[in-house]
Amino acid sequence: MTPEQALATLEPVSEQVARSLPSAQALLTRREREVLQLLAEGLTNPQIAERLVVSLPTVSTHVASIFNKRGVTSRAAATRYAVEHHLV
């Protein structure tokens, strides 16, 4: 096989990278997905804590983790990301 033929059989790099990355949902834990769902519904951290029967610091930790993993800095951006990626 010539180098040209070998290159022709390769997929575009973007497709290779897309398949190697975990899905958006897979990056979040089950509990983070639950928190994100409630966050997207417009609940505050105290309301989320009450709904999930966890402490407020625990919710804050989950929200911070979601922000870090998704690369967002606001609840609105996290909600938008969740909607665009069918996580909610």
Side-chain angles (χ1 to χ4, degrees):
M1 179 180 288
T2 68
E4 291 79 19
Q5 291 171 326
L7 287 174
T9 63
L10 294 176
E11 297 177 70
V13 173
S14 60
E15 290 178 24
Q16 292 174 355
V17 170
R19 271 204 313 281
S20 69
L21 294 175
S23 72
Q25 189 170 0
L27 290 175
L28 300 176
T29 66
R30 179 186 55 81
R31 187 57 113 182
E32 288 167 346
R33 289 191 303 269
E34 291 172 342
V35 170
L36 182 57
Q37 172 73 41
L38 297 173
L39 185 148
E41 289 177 19
L43 273 65
T44 64
N45 284 8
Q47 291 169 327
I48 294 170
E50 184 177 325
R51 179 82 60 92
L52 297 178
V53 191
V54 297
S55 71
L56 186 54
T58 298
V59 173
S60 297
T61 298
H62 287 309
V63 170
S65 180
I66 292 165
F67 283 16
N68 286 332
K69 288 180 178 182
R70 302 297 8 120
V72 297
T73 58
S74 71
R75 296 170 86 83
T79 298
R80 180 178 177 176
Y81 184 92
V83 169
E84 288 176 350
H85 291 86
H86 309 289
L87 300 177
V88 293

